[in-house]
PDB file of all heavy atoms in Angstrom:
ATOM      1  N   VAL V   1       9.517   7.908   2.565  1.00  0.00           N
ATOM      2  CA  VAL V   1       8.760   6.807   1.998  1.00  0.00           C
ATOM      3  C   VAL V   1       7.472   7.205   1.292  1.00  0.00           C
ATOM      4  O   VAL V   1       6.780   6.373   0.647  1.00  0.00           O
ATOM      5  CB  VAL V   1       8.376   5.785   3.134  1.00  0.00           C
ATOM      6  CG1 VAL V   1       9.625   5.362   3.884  1.00  0.00           C
ATOM      7  CG2 VAL V   1       7.321   6.331   4.090  1.00  0.00           C
ATOM      8  N   LYS V   2       7.159   8.515   1.324  1.00  0.00           N
ATOM      9  CA  LYS V   2       5.919   9.045   0.739  1.00  0.00           C
ATOM     10  C   LYS V   2       5.907   8.689  -0.739  1.00  0.00           C
ATOM     11  O   LYS V   2       6.910   8.937  -1.461  1.00  0.00           O
ATOM     12  CB  LYS V   2       5.857  10.519   0.999  1.00  0.00           C
ATOM     13  CG  LYS V   2       4.423  11.076   0.881  1.00  0.00           C
ATOM     14  CD  LYS V   2       4.471  12.554   1.348  1.00  0.00           C
ATOM     15  CE  LYS V   2       4.796  12.694   2.837  1.00  0.00           C
ATOM     16  NZ  LYS V   2       4.752  14.051   3.280  1.00  0.00           N
ATOM     17  N   GLY V   3       4.832   8.205  -1.254  1.00  0.00           N
ATOM     18  CA  GLY V   3       4.705   7.841  -2.648  1.00  0.00           C
ATOM     19  C   GLY V   3       5.162   6.405  -2.960  1.00  0.00           C
ATOM     20  O   GLY V   3       4.835   5.920  -4.055  1.00  0.00           O
ATOM     21  N   ARG V   4       5.857   5.771  -2.006  1.00  0.00           N
ATOM     22  CA  ARG V   4       6.346   4.408  -2.243  1.00  0.00           C
ATOM     23  C   ARG V   4       5.674   3.389  -1.282  1.00  0.00           C
ATOM     24  O   ARG V   4       5.466   2.216  -1.683  1.00  0.00           O
ATOM     25  CB  ARG V   4       7.869   4.338  -2.063  1.00  0.00           C
ATOM     26  CG  ARG V   4       8.635   5.220  -2.967  1.00  0.00           C
ATOM     27  CD  ARG V   4      10.135   4.965  -2.852  1.00  0.00           C
ATOM     28  NE  ARG V   4      10.625   5.300  -1.568  1.00  0.00           N
ATOM     29  CZ  ARG V   4      11.265   4.418  -0.795  1.00  0.00           C
ATOM     30  NH1 ARG V   4      11.485   3.186  -1.191  1.00  0.00           N
ATOM     31  NH2 ARG V   4      11.746   4.801   0.394  1.00  0.00           N
ATOM     32  N   PHE V   5       5.444   3.823  -0.091  1.00  0.00           N
ATOM     33  CA  PHE V   5       4.799   2.947   0.953  1.00  0.00           C
ATOM     34  C   PHE V   5       3.334   3.291   1.185  1.00  0.00           C
ATOM     35  O   PHE V   5       2.957   4.505   1.038  1.00  0.00           O
ATOM     36  CB  PHE V   5       5.508   3.097   2.259  1.00  0.00           C
ATOM     37  CG  PHE V   5       6.947   2.488   2.313  1.00  0.00           C
ATOM     38  CD1 PHE V   5       7.631   2.150   1.117  1.00  0.00           C
ATOM     39  CD2 PHE V   5       7.576   2.412   3.474  1.00  0.00           C
ATOM     40  CE1 PHE V   5       8.878   1.634   1.180  1.00  0.00           C
ATOM     41  CE2 PHE V   5       8.846   1.881   3.589  1.00  0.00           C
ATOM     42  CZ  PHE V   5       9.531   1.564   2.375  1.00  0.00           C
ATOM     43  N   THR V   6       2.485   2.348   1.442  1.00  0.00           N
ATOM     44  CA  THR V   6       1.153   2.548   1.749  1.00  0.00           C
ATOM     45  C   THR V   6       0.767   1.755   3.026  1.00  0.00           C
ATOM     46  O   THR V   6       0.967   0.563   3.041  1.00  0.00           O
ATOM     47  CB  THR V   6       0.231   2.151   0.597  1.00  0.00           C
ATOM     48  OG1 THR V   6       0.563   2.818  -0.615  1.00  0.00           O
ATOM     49  CG2 THR V   6      -1.281   2.428   0.918  1.00  0.00           C
ATOM     50  N   ILE V   7       0.249   2.490   3.985  1.00  0.00           N
ATOM     51  CA  ILE V   7      -0.266   1.874   5.164  1.00  0.00           C
ATOM     52  C   ILE V   7      -1.819   1.649   5.100  1.00  0.00           C
ATOM     53  O   ILE V   7      -2.497   2.544   4.579  1.00  0.00           O
ATOM     54  CB  ILE V   7       0.098   2.632   6.438  1.00  0.00           C
ATOM     55  CG1 ILE V   7      -0.115   1.846   7.704  1.00  0.00           C
ATOM     56  CG2 ILE V   7      -0.604   3.967   6.506  1.00  0.00           C
ATOM     57  CD1 ILE V   7       0.464   2.501   9.021  1.00  0.00           C
ATOM     58  N   SER V   8      -2.246   0.511   5.624  1.00  0.00           N
ATOM     59  CA  SER V   8      -3.707   0.236   5.635  1.00  0.00           C
ATOM     60  C   SER V   8      -4.039  -0.567   6.854  1.00  0.00           C
ATOM     61  O   SER V   8      -3.112  -1.095   7.467  1.00  0.00           O
ATOM     62  CB  SER V   8      -4.143  -0.420   4.342  1.00  0.00           C
ATOM     63  OG  SER V   8      -3.472  -1.707   4.196  1.00  0.00           O
ATOM     64  N   ARG V   9      -5.336  -0.722   7.119  1.00  0.00           N
ATOM     65  CA  ARG V   9      -5.696  -1.566   8.229  1.00  0.00           C
ATOM     66  C   ARG V   9      -6.996  -2.324   7.928  1.00  0.00           C
ATOM     67  O   ARG V   9      -7.826  -1.819   7.106  1.00  0.00           O
ATOM     68  CB  ARG V   9      -5.906  -0.727   9.529  1.00  0.00           C
ATOM     69  CG  ARG V   9      -7.357  -0.118   9.720  1.00  0.00           C
ATOM     70  CD  ARG V   9      -7.334   1.302   9.521  1.00  0.00           C
ATOM     71  NE  ARG V   9      -8.582   1.869   9.953  1.00  0.00           N
ATOM     72  CZ  ARG V   9      -9.551   2.239   9.104  1.00  0.00           C
ATOM     73  NH1 ARG V   9      -9.466   1.954   7.863  1.00  0.00           N
ATOM     74  NH2 ARG V   9     -10.653   2.855   9.650  1.00  0.00           N
ATOM     75  N   ASP V  10      -7.190  -3.463   8.578  1.00  0.00           N
ATOM     76  CA  ASP V  10      -8.278  -4.225   8.484  1.00  0.00           C
ATOM     77  C   ASP V  10      -8.877  -4.362   9.930  1.00  0.00           C
ATOM     78  O   ASP V  10      -8.339  -5.168  10.729  1.00  0.00           O
ATOM     79  CB  ASP V  10      -8.027  -5.621   7.954  1.00  0.00           C
ATOM     80  CG  ASP V  10      -9.247  -6.452   7.702  1.00  0.00           C
ATOM     81  OD1 ASP V  10     -10.268  -6.296   8.465  1.00  0.00           O
ATOM     82  OD2 ASP V  10      -9.258  -7.351   6.800  1.00  0.00           O
ATOM     83  N   ASN V  11      -9.814  -3.559  10.215  1.00  0.00           N
ATOM     84  CA  ASN V  11     -10.346  -3.492  11.630  1.00  0.00           C
ATOM     85  C   ASN V  11     -10.901  -4.876  12.043  1.00  0.00           C
ATOM     86  O   ASN V  11     -10.762  -5.241  13.225  1.00  0.00           O
ATOM     87  CB  ASN V  11     -11.423  -2.388  11.729  1.00  0.00           C
ATOM     88  CG  ASN V  11     -10.805  -1.039  11.682  1.00  0.00           C
ATOM     89  OD1 ASN V  11      -9.870  -0.811  10.875  1.00  0.00           O
ATOM     90  ND2 ASN V  11     -11.305  -0.090  12.525  1.00  0.00           N
ATOM     91  N   ALA V  12     -11.499  -5.567  11.167  1.00  0.00           N
ATOM     92  CA  ALA V  12     -12.175  -6.823  11.529  1.00  0.00           C
ATOM     93  C   ALA V  12     -11.076  -7.887  11.975  1.00  0.00           C
ATOM     94  O   ALA V  12     -11.322  -8.734  12.777  1.00  0.00           O
ATOM     95  CB  ALA V  12     -12.934  -7.395  10.323  1.00  0.00           C
ATOM     96  N   LYS V  13      -9.930  -7.763  11.381  1.00  0.00           N
ATOM     97  CA  LYS V  13      -8.839  -8.669  11.679  1.00  0.00           C
ATOM     98  C   LYS V  13      -7.816  -8.100  12.612  1.00  0.00           C
ATOM     99  O   LYS V  13      -6.839  -8.762  12.988  1.00  0.00           O
ATOM    100  CB  LYS V  13      -8.118  -9.079  10.323  1.00  0.00           C
ATOM    101  CG  LYS V  13      -8.957  -9.857   9.372  1.00  0.00           C
ATOM    102  CD  LYS V  13      -8.130 -10.209   8.139  1.00  0.00           C
ATOM    103  CE  LYS V  13      -8.951 -11.022   7.135  1.00  0.00           C
ATOM    104  NZ  LYS V  13      -8.155 -11.390   5.927  1.00  0.00           N
ATOM    105  N   ASN V  14      -8.041  -6.866  13.058  1.00  0.00           N
ATOM    106  CA  ASN V  14      -7.089  -6.178  13.948  1.00  0.00           C
ATOM    107  C   ASN V  14      -5.651  -6.303  13.389  1.00  0.00           C
ATOM    108  O   ASN V  14      -4.666  -6.557  14.075  1.00  0.00           O
ATOM    109  CB  ASN V  14      -7.105  -6.828  15.318  1.00  0.00           C
ATOM    110  CG  ASN V  14      -8.281  -6.394  16.173  1.00  0.00           C
ATOM    111  OD1 ASN V  14      -8.917  -5.274  15.846  1.00  0.00           O
ATOM    112  ND2 ASN V  14      -8.652  -7.081  17.150  1.00  0.00           N
ATOM    113  N   THR V  15      -5.550  -6.016  12.095  1.00  0.00           N
ATOM    114  CA  THR V  15      -4.300  -6.101  11.391  1.00  0.00           C
ATOM    115  C   THR V  15      -4.015  -4.851  10.608  1.00  0.00           C
ATOM    116  O   THR V  15      -4.890  -4.287   9.983  1.00  0.00           O
ATOM    117  CB  THR V  15      -4.296  -7.312  10.470  1.00  0.00           C
ATOM    118  OG1 THR V  15      -4.566  -8.483  11.248  1.00  0.00           O
ATOM    119  CG2 THR V  15      -2.938  -7.477   9.705  1.00  0.00           C
ATOM    120  N   VAL V  16      -2.743  -4.464  10.690  1.00  0.00           N
ATOM    121  CA  VAL V  16      -2.288  -3.308   9.924  1.00  0.00           C
ATOM    122  C   VAL V  16      -1.189  -3.810   8.913  1.00  0.00           C
ATOM    123  O   VAL V  16      -0.441  -4.671   9.227  1.00  0.00           O
ATOM    124  CB  VAL V  16      -1.628  -2.210  10.857  1.00  0.00           C
ATOM    125  CG1 VAL V  16      -1.030  -1.112  10.065  1.00  0.00           C
ATOM    126  CG2 VAL V  16      -2.735  -1.696  11.794  1.00  0.00           C
ATOM    127  N   TYR V  17      -1.170  -3.184   7.750  1.00  0.00           N
ATOM    128  CA  TYR V  17      -0.311  -3.565   6.669  1.00  0.00           C
ATOM    129  C   TYR V  17       0.565  -2.412   6.253  1.00  0.00           C
ATOM    130  O   TYR V  17       0.171  -1.266   6.355  1.00  0.00           O
ATOM    131  CB  TYR V  17      -1.098  -4.111   5.471  1.00  0.00           C
ATOM    132  CG  TYR V  17      -2.060  -5.177   5.804  1.00  0.00           C
ATOM    133  CD1 TYR V  17      -3.411  -4.871   6.042  1.00  0.00           C
ATOM    134  CD2 TYR V  17      -1.648  -6.510   5.870  1.00  0.00           C
ATOM    135  CE1 TYR V  17      -4.312  -5.937   6.363  1.00  0.00           C
ATOM    136  CE2 TYR V  17      -2.568  -7.472   6.195  1.00  0.00           C
ATOM    137  CZ  TYR V  17      -3.894  -7.193   6.441  1.00  0.00           C
ATOM    138  OH  TYR V  17      -4.781  -8.167   6.690  1.00  0.00           O
ATOM    139  N   LEU V  18       1.719  -2.731   5.712  1.00  0.00           N
ATOM    140  CA  LEU V  18       2.575  -1.743   5.117  1.00  0.00           C
ATOM    141  C   LEU V  18       3.045  -2.304   3.759  1.00  0.00           C
ATOM    142  O   LEU V  18       3.861  -3.192   3.756  1.00  0.00           O
ATOM    143  CB  LEU V  18       3.786  -1.422   5.987  1.00  0.00           C
ATOM    144  CG  LEU V  18       4.683  -0.256   5.551  1.00  0.00           C
ATOM    145  CD1 LEU V  18       3.903   1.048   5.592  1.00  0.00           C
ATOM    146  CD2 LEU V  18       5.984  -0.230   6.330  1.00  0.00           C
ATOM    147  N   GLN V  19       2.483  -1.759   2.736  1.00  0.00           N
ATOM    148  CA  GLN V  19       2.930  -2.208   1.351  1.00  0.00           C
ATOM    149  C   GLN V  19       4.052  -1.310   0.955  1.00  0.00           C
ATOM    150  O   GLN V  19       3.941  -0.070   0.958  1.00  0.00           O
ATOM    151  CB  GLN V  19       1.717  -1.967   0.437  1.00  0.00           C
ATOM    152  CG  GLN V  19       2.047  -2.300  -1.038  1.00  0.00           C
ATOM    153  CD  GLN V  19       2.348  -3.767  -1.245  1.00  0.00           C
ATOM    154  OE1 GLN V  19       1.676  -4.606  -0.743  1.00  0.00           O
ATOM    155  NE2 GLN V  19       3.429  -4.039  -2.034  1.00  0.00           N
ATOM    156  N   MET V  20       5.196  -1.928   0.671  1.00  0.00           N
ATOM    157  CA  MET V  20       6.345  -1.203   0.335  1.00  0.00           C
ATOM    158  C   MET V  20       6.759  -1.519  -1.088  1.00  0.00           C
ATOM    159  O   MET V  20       7.055  -2.640  -1.416  1.00  0.00           O
ATOM    160  CB  MET V  20       7.509  -1.616   1.320  1.00  0.00           C
ATOM    161  CG  MET V  20       7.176  -1.432   2.773  1.00  0.00           C
ATOM    162  SD  MET V  20       8.501  -1.773   3.875  1.00  0.00           S
ATOM    163  CE  MET V  20       8.843  -3.506   3.581  1.00  0.00           C
ATOM    164  N   ASN V  21       6.724  -0.466  -1.926  1.00  0.00           N
ATOM    165  CA  ASN V  21       7.073  -0.605  -3.359  1.00  0.00           C
ATOM    166  C   ASN V  21       8.350   0.234  -3.632  1.00  0.00           C
ATOM    167  O   ASN V  21       8.726   1.122  -2.874  1.00  0.00           O
ATOM    168  CB  ASN V  21       5.963  -0.091  -4.212  1.00  0.00           C
ATOM    169  CG  ASN V  21       4.703  -0.930  -3.994  1.00  0.00           C
ATOM    170  OD1 ASN V  21       4.745  -2.161  -3.732  1.00  0.00           O
ATOM    171  ND2 ASN V  21       3.508  -0.240  -4.153  1.00  0.00           N
ATOM    172  N   SER V  22       8.955  -0.050  -4.775  1.00  0.00           N
ATOM    173  CA  SER V  22      10.142   0.718  -5.211  1.00  0.00           C
ATOM    174  C   SER V  22      11.197   0.752  -4.093  1.00  0.00           C
ATOM    175  O   SER V  22      11.764   1.777  -3.813  1.00  0.00           O
ATOM    176  CB  SER V  22       9.776   2.106  -5.660  1.00  0.00           C
ATOM    177  OG  SER V  22       8.789   2.054  -6.697  1.00  0.00           O
ATOM    178  N   LEU V  23      11.431  -0.391  -3.531  1.00  0.00           N
ATOM    179  CA  LEU V  23      12.324  -0.368  -2.352  1.00  0.00           C
ATOM    180  C   LEU V  23      13.771   0.012  -2.728  1.00  0.00           C
ATOM    181  O   LEU V  23      14.246  -0.360  -3.845  1.00  0.00           O
ATOM    182  CB  LEU V  23      12.312  -1.770  -1.715  1.00  0.00           C
ATOM    183  CG  LEU V  23      11.083  -2.037  -0.840  1.00  0.00           C
ATOM    184  CD1 LEU V  23      10.874  -3.516  -0.619  1.00  0.00           C
ATOM    185  CD2 LEU V  23      11.215  -1.287   0.504  1.00  0.00           C
ATOM    186  N   LYS V  24      14.457   0.628  -1.830  1.00  0.00           N
ATOM    187  CA  LYS V  24      15.827   1.099  -1.988  1.00  0.00           C
ATOM    188  C   LYS V  24      16.683   0.443  -0.908  1.00  0.00           C
ATOM    189  O   LYS V  24      16.199   0.081   0.175  1.00  0.00           O
ATOM    190  CB  LYS V  24      15.860   2.644  -1.859  1.00  0.00           C
ATOM    191  CG  LYS V  24      14.903   3.346  -2.727  1.00  0.00           C
ATOM    192  CD  LYS V  24      14.981   4.837  -2.476  1.00  0.00           C
ATOM    193  CE  LYS V  24      14.022   5.666  -3.328  1.00  0.00           C
ATOM    194  NZ  LYS V  24      14.065   7.119  -3.065  1.00  0.00           N
ATOM    195  N   PRO V  25      17.960   0.366  -1.182  1.00  0.00           N
ATOM    196  CA  PRO V  25      18.896  -0.212  -0.187  1.00  0.00           C
ATOM    197  C   PRO V  25      18.776   0.550   1.181  1.00  0.00           C
ATOM    198  O   PRO V  25      18.957  -0.035   2.233  1.00  0.00           O
ATOM    199  CB  PRO V  25      20.284   0.000  -0.774  1.00  0.00           C
ATOM    200  CG  PRO V  25      20.023  -0.098  -2.237  1.00  0.00           C
ATOM    201  CD  PRO V  25      18.655   0.610  -2.450  1.00  0.00           C
ATOM    202  N   GLU V  26      18.526   1.857   1.117  1.00  0.00           N
ATOM    203  CA  GLU V  26      18.388   2.597   2.368  1.00  0.00           C
ATOM    204  C   GLU V  26      17.134   2.306   3.192  1.00  0.00           C
ATOM    205  O   GLU V  26      16.937   2.790   4.294  1.00  0.00           O
ATOM    206  CB  GLU V  26      18.474   4.093   2.132  1.00  0.00           C
ATOM    207  CG  GLU V  26      17.547   4.651   1.050  1.00  0.00           C
ATOM    208  CD  GLU V  26      18.284   4.773  -0.312  1.00  0.00           C
ATOM    209  OE1 GLU V  26      19.052   3.821  -0.660  1.00  0.00           O
ATOM    210  OE2 GLU V  26      18.015   5.759  -1.001  1.00  0.00           O
ATOM    211  N   ASP V  27      16.262   1.481   2.618  1.00  0.00           N
ATOM    212  CA  ASP V  27      15.070   1.035   3.393  1.00  0.00           C
ATOM    213  C   ASP V  27      15.375  -0.170   4.274  1.00  0.00           C
ATOM    214  O   ASP V  27      14.563  -0.600   5.027  1.00  0.00           O
ATOM    215  CB  ASP V  27      13.930   0.621   2.354  1.00  0.00           C
ATOM    216  CG  ASP V  27      13.404   1.824   1.641  1.00  0.00           C
ATOM    217  OD1 ASP V  27      13.229   2.912   2.237  1.00  0.00           O
ATOM    218  OD2 ASP V  27      13.110   1.702   0.411  1.00  0.00           O
ATOM    219  N   THR V  28      16.572  -0.661   4.157  1.00  0.00           N
ATOM    220  CA  THR V  28      16.973  -1.846   4.941  1.00  0.00           C
ATOM    221  C   THR V  28      16.954  -1.538   6.442  1.00  0.00           C
ATOM    222  O   THR V  28      17.396  -0.487   6.858  1.00  0.00           O
ATOM    223  CB  THR V  28      18.395  -2.292   4.544  1.00  0.00           C
ATOM    224  OG1 THR V  28      18.370  -2.754   3.186  1.00  0.00           O
ATOM    225  CG2 THR V  28      18.901  -3.379   5.421  1.00  0.00           C
ATOM    226  N   GLY V  29      16.458  -2.475   7.215  1.00  0.00           N
ATOM    227  CA  GLY V  29      16.409  -2.345   8.641  1.00  0.00           C
ATOM    228  C   GLY V  29      15.412  -3.326   9.241  1.00  0.00           C
ATOM    229  O   GLY V  29      14.792  -4.039   8.554  1.00  0.00           O
ATOM    230  N   VAL V  30      15.329  -3.228  10.545  1.00  0.00           N
ATOM    231  CA  VAL V  30      14.289  -4.018  11.250  1.00  0.00           C
ATOM    232  C   VAL V  30      13.058  -3.139  11.343  1.00  0.00           C
ATOM    233  O   VAL V  30      13.133  -1.989  11.787  1.00  0.00           O
ATOM    234  CB  VAL V  30      14.782  -4.443  12.668  1.00  0.00           C
ATOM    235  CG1 VAL V  30      13.681  -5.188  13.371  1.00  0.00           C
ATOM    236  CG2 VAL V  30      16.019  -5.302  12.539  1.00  0.00           C
ATOM    237  N   TYR V  31      11.959  -3.619  10.918  1.00  0.00           N
ATOM    238  CA  TYR V  31      10.734  -2.887  10.908  1.00  0.00           C
ATOM    239  C   TYR V  31       9.846  -3.366  12.103  1.00  0.00           C
ATOM    240  O   TYR V  31       9.614  -4.506  12.295  1.00  0.00           O
ATOM    241  CB  TYR V  31       9.958  -3.110   9.576  1.00  0.00           C
ATOM    242  CG  TYR V  31      10.551  -2.222   8.478  1.00  0.00           C
ATOM    243  CD1 TYR V  31      11.736  -2.529   7.975  1.00  0.00           C
ATOM    244  CD2 TYR V  31       9.760  -1.158   7.956  1.00  0.00           C
ATOM    245  CE1 TYR V  31      12.338  -1.681   6.973  1.00  0.00           C
ATOM    246  CE2 TYR V  31      10.292  -0.380   6.935  1.00  0.00           C
ATOM    247  CZ  TYR V  31      11.591  -0.641   6.437  1.00  0.00           C
ATOM    248  OH  TYR V  31      12.110   0.145   5.421  1.00  0.00           O
TER     249      TYR V  31
END
């Protein structure tokens, strides 16, 4: 996923994000 996905966090909201770009069929699954 390197170069396509970006993980980030918002400490104030206690929330983590995963931005997924250029998705491929092999990315399918339960996250």
Side-chain angles (χ1 to χ4, degrees):
V1 306
K2 201 172 296 183
R4 299 187 298 123
F5 291 11
T6 302
I7 191 170
S8 61
R9 88 253 192 260
D10 185 332
N11 290 39
K13 295 182 179 180
N14 283 341
T15 300
V16 174
Y17 305 96
L18 186 68
Q19 177 66 44
M20 306 186 295
N21 298 328
S22 302
L23 283 162
K24 304 175 181 180
E26 51 264 43
D27 294 318
T28 294
V30 178
Y31 282 67

